[in-house]
Amino acid sequence: MDKRFLKQLGLRKHNAGTMTGLESTNSSKYIKSFSPVDGELIGSVSKTTREEYDAVIAAAQEAFKTWRLLPAPKRGEIIRQYGEELRRMKDPLGRLVSYEMGKSLQEGWGEVQEMIDICDFAVGLSRQLYGLSMHSERPGHRMYEQWHPLGIVGVISAFNFPVAVWSWNAMIALVCGDVVVWKPSEKAPMCGVACQQLFQKVLQENEVPEGVCSLINGDYKVGEFLTKDERVALVSATGSIRMGKIVAATVGARLGKTLLELGGNNAIIVTPNADLDIVLTGALFGAVGTAGQRCTSTRRLIVHESIYDEVKQKLAKAYPQLRIGDPLDENNHVGPLIDTQAVDQYLSAIEAVEREGGNFLVEGGRLEGDAYSSGCYVKPCIAEVEHDFEIVHHETFAPILYLIKYSDLSEALAYNNEVPQGLSSAIMTNNLREAELFLSAAGSDCGIANVNIGTSGAEIGGAFGGEKETGGGRESGSDAWKAYMRRQTNTINYSETLPLAQGIKFDL
Ligand code: NAD
C-alpha cells in the first residue's frame, strides 16, 4: 500500500504522544497502533506519564490567563487558519483516518470535511457569543447576562470518529476562550498526533501561548487523570455507555461538569406510506456504513406488516451486492471492524440472536483469506427478531441489522422508545400525520429525529447528542457552545438610591 500520507502528515515510527501545545515530549512507554485494514504496524505513540500530565495542565492553566482575554473574533481567526490547513491536508488526513480506523476513504475524507465545517462554524460563532438583556423590575437598573469561558476543557474521544469528535469540541471551546486537553482513543492515537501537529503549526505561526491546545495519550488510566482533576472544569467524553457512567460518577463526585456523548440503538420506522427506494438507501447506508461502527448506525428497522415482506426481499437482494474489503479501495463499500476484539463481540451477538430465537435473513460471519488477513473483516448481516429480545436492546458496534414487524404506529413508537439509549431515530413516510406524530412530544424520545432520512450521521449545524443512556450532552452546532461557557447575570444600578427587593426597608 502507498503510505506516503504518513510522511505528508509528519508521522514517524515513534511519535511523541504528549504535546503542551507547542512543545512535545516522548516518554518511555508506547502505544502501538496496528491498522485493521492489513494488520500492519502504523507507528507508535508515547504514553503520557503523570509528571507529563501535570506539566500539560500547568501550561494550560497559564495559557488560559491570556487566551480568555484575546477577543473572541481573534481566537476565531486562528481557527479559520486551522480550517485552511485542514483543507490543504484533507487528502492525507482522510487516508490516515481510513487506514487507522478502517472506515471507507470517502468517509475518512468526509470526517476531515466535518472538521473544516466546524472550523467555519466556530469562526462565525466567535462573533456571536450572545447573552440576553432583561428589563429590571427596579428603576435605574440594567440587567443582562454574559458568557465567560470555563477554563480547561478535557476531551476524551472514541475510536470511531478519531478526528471529527475532537474538532467538534475543541474548535467551539477554543473560540469560547477555553483551553483544551485532548486524550484520543488508544485505538487511533496516530490520528490524534496528526491533528495536533497540524494545529501546532498554526499556533506557532500566531505566537499563541504554550498550553492553549494540548494532547495526552494512553488508555482509560490517562483518561482518569482528567476526570479526577479538579483543575479540569469540563470533561467532554465520547464513547461507550459503560465509560460514560464511570466518567459521570467520577466528575460528578467533584461537582465538575460533563458533556457525555455515548452509545445509541437507533431505529427507522417504515410505515405503509414510505417511499421504499428511500428506505433501502437509508437503511443500507445506516446499517453497513463504517461497518456499523457509528453511534448513529441503524440497528433496528421497524417495518409495518403490510410491507414487511417487500422490504425484506429488497434487503436480501441488496446485501449480497456489498463489496467488503480494503476501505482505501474506493470500489469497496464496507471495511473492517476496529480490532479482533470487536469481531468477537459481533460473533457473540450473533450467537445471542440465535439463542433468543432470531432468524438470519442474511447470514453473518468472519471473513477469511488473503484480502482479510488482519482478521477484522466481517459480513454485514440481517436478523428477523422480536422487539424485546435482550440482545436487541444492547448496542453491538458492528453491522448487524434487526428486522422487527409492527401493526400500528403507536406500537412502532413504543418499540422505538423502549431501549435504554436515545440517540438517533427516523420515520420513513409521506404521510404528514405520521411524520408529525413521530416528531411530537408523544413521538420519538431521541435527541435526533428525522423524516425520510436515515439515522446515520448529522450535519454540524445542529446540536448533536442524545437522551437517556446516550448521556444528554449536545455538541457541535446550534447553541451547543453554551456547555463550554459559564453564564453570569449582571445587574447595574445607575440610580442614586438602592431600592431593596420585596420592598424591604433597611434605613439606618
Ligand atoms: P470506549 O468507551 O471504550 O472509549 C472511549 C474513550 O474513553 C477512550 O478514549 C477511552 O480511553 C476512554 N475511557 C474509557 N474508560 C474510561 C474511564 N474510566 N475514564 C476515563 N476515560 C475512559 O468507546 P469506544 O469503543 O472507543 O467507542 C465506541 C462507543 O462510542 C460506542 O458506544 C459509540 O456509540 C460511542 N460513540 C458515541 C458518539 C456520540 O456522539 N454519541 C460518537 C462516537 C462514538
Side-chain angles (χ1 to χ4, degrees):
M1 178 182 302
D2 179 1
K3 293 186 191 162
R4 261 176 305 179
F5 59 89
L6 295 174
K7 215 164 178 189
Q8 284 170 287
L9 292 164
L11 294 170
R12 294 180 293 270
K13 210 167 146 199
H14 300 299
N15 298 276
T18 309
M19 302 186 201
T20 49
L22 309 180
E23 291 294 319
S24 308
T25 51
N26 252 324
S27 52
S28 55
K29 290 196 175 148
Y30 284 87
I31 312 169
K32 285 183 177 165
S33 178
F34 292 93
S35 169
V37 175
D38 54 13
E40 284 188 24
L41 180 66
I42 310 173
S44 66
V45 173
S46 70
K47 281 187 200 165
T48 302
T49 63
R50 181 71 216 193
E51 292 68 41
E52 287 170 331
Y53 171 77
D54 282 331
V56 165
I57 294 295
Q61 281 182 310
E62 203 47 39
F64 181 54
K65 290 181 193 158
T66 41
W67 185 249
R68 67 186 168 184
L69 296 178
L70 193 68
K74 293 232 156 55
R75 298 192 292 252
E77 164 56 20
I78 291 164
I79 303 303
R80 187 194 66 74
Q81 291 175 32
Y82 188 48
E84 290 301 310
E85 187 63 17
L86 290 170
R87 281 180 171 89
R88 222 170 51 78
M89 300 303 278
K90 181 173 170 177
D91 180 63
L93 190 55
R95 283 179 193 277
L96 174 67
V97 170
S98 176
Y99 189 52
E100 191 176 37
M101 187 273 152
K103 61 178 66 177
S104 74
L105 185 54
Q106 278 298 333
E107 289 177 308
W109 285 326
E111 214 186 309
V112 183
Q113 186 57 47
E114 275 191 32
M115 298 177 80
I116 295 166
D117 293 344
I118 200 75
C119 286
D120 287 354
F121 185 91
V123 176
L125 179 67
S126 70
R127 293 180 186 271
Q128 300 175 74
L129 300 168
Y130 302 136
L132 294 173
S133 67
M134 302 88 182
H135 286 265
S136 170
E137 62 192 44
R138 289 168 282 184
H141 283 57
R142 186 163 73 83
M143 199 162 126
Y144 72 112
E145 65 183 19
Q146 301 185 81
W147 292 88
H148 292 311
L150 288 173
I152 300 177
V153 173
V155 178
I156 296 174
S157 57
F159 77 83
N160 65 329
F161 277 91
V163 296
V165 163
W166 165 71
S167 67
W168 291 358
N169 283 281
M171 299 309 126
I172 302 292
L174 288 167
V175 295
C176 288
D178 297 309
V179 294
V180 175
V181 179
W182 177 25
K183 192 204 85 63
S185 166
E186 60 275 34
K187 295 178 187 170
M190 301 285 282
C191 283
V193 172
C195 291
Q196 177 73 18
Q197 285 183 170
L198 294 177
F199 204 32
Q200 268 184 333
K201 183 169 166 267
V202 175
L203 296 176
Q204 258 151 7
E205 282 163 7
N206 286 277
E207 295 176 10
V208 168
E210 172 94 6
V212 163
C213 192
S214 308
L215 180 77
I216 56 175
N217 264 288
D219 61 11
Y220 75 95
K221 292 189 202 108
V222 176
E224 281 178 352
F225 292 167
L226 288 169
T227 57
K228 291 182 177 166
D229 192 341
E230 284 174 3
R231 296 168 294 182
V232 179
L234 168 71
V235 175
S236 174
T238 301
S240 60
I241 290 165
R242 197 192 133 272
M243 175 278 287
K245 286 183 176 170
I246 299 170
V247 167
T250 311
V251 180
R254 60 175 175 85
L255 297 184
K257 290 182 197 290
T258 49
L259 194 169
L260 299 174
E261 296 281 355
L262 312 174
N265 190 347
N266 319 296
I268 301 179
I269 297 174
V270 184
T271 84
N273 299 302
D275 177 331
L276 292 192
D277 289 337
I278 292 183
V279 171
L280 191 69
T281 314
L284 198 65
F285 174 67
V288 310
T290 325
Q293 298 170 107
R294 285 184 176 214
C295 50
T296 53
S297 288
T298 306
R299 313 241 172 252
R300 298 175 296 147
L301 204 58
I302 304 169
V303 186
H304 190 264
E305 57 191 6
S306 64
I307 48 164
Y308 184 85
D309 287 340
E310 196 181 345
V311 171
K312 197 171 130 176
Q313 275 161 19
K314 280 186 188 284
L315 286 168
K317 219 168 128 193
Y319 263 55
Q321 293 172 45
L322 291 170
R323 283 187 298 274
I324 308 159
D326 177 355
L328 285 131
D329 176 345
E330 288 182 72
N331 291 314
N332 288 329
H333 301 111
V334 183
L337 293 181
I338 185 69
D339 53 22
T340 51
Q341 208 186 329
V343 175
D344 291 342
Q345 282 163 6
Y346 155 90
L347 293 172
S348 53
I350 289 176
E351 275 172 31
V353 172
E354 281 165 350
R355 248 194 335 269
E356 289 194 74
N359 164 48
F360 276 90
L361 172 68
V362 177
E363 294 284 340
R366 188 201 302 261
L367 287 160
E368 315 279 350
D370 284 353
Y372 311 117
S373 59
S374 69
C376 299
Y377 291 85
V378 300
K379 286 188 240 167
C381 58
I382 306 177
E384 291 182 278
V385 297
E386 293 299 328
H387 69 97
D388 55 357
F389 281 4
E390 201 185 329
I391 189 68
V392 171
H393 287 212
H394 175 84
E395 180 199 45
T396 302
F397 222 47
I400 305 175
L401 179 65
Y402 299 123
L403 269 187
I404 299 165
K405 202 184 277 185
Y406 81 90
S407 47
D408 79 78
L409 190 53
S410 60
E411 191 186 10
L413 285 172
Y415 293 172
N416 181 75
N417 293 349
E418 72 185 354
V419 296
Q421 310 84 352
L423 182 53
S424 186
S425 60
I427 192 167
M428 297 288 186
T429 181
N430 288 331
N431 179 302
L432 183 69
R433 285 183 181 149
E434 289 176 341
E436 289 290 341
L437 177 66
F438 180 74
L439 301 178
S440 76
S444 166
D445 65 359
C446 294
I448 297 166
N450 297 330
V451 177
N452 293 335
I453 302 172
T455 61
S456 182
E459 291 188 30
I460 60 105
F464 181 87
E467 301 302 326
K468 304 192 289 186
E469 288 194 353
T470 302
R474 291 295 186 277
E475 275 174 5
S476 195
S478 184
D479 65 352
W481 60 270
K482 289 179 177 168
Y484 304 86
M485 303 198 86
R486 60 186 170 86
R487 186 196 309 244
Q488 186 176 69
T489 303
N490 307 118
T491 311
I492 300 161
N493 176 8
Y494 60 92
S495 74
E496 288 171 9
T497 59
L498 182 57
L500 298 177
Q502 290 121 22
I504 293 169
K505 300 252 181 298
F506 207 75
D507 298 330
L508 295 176

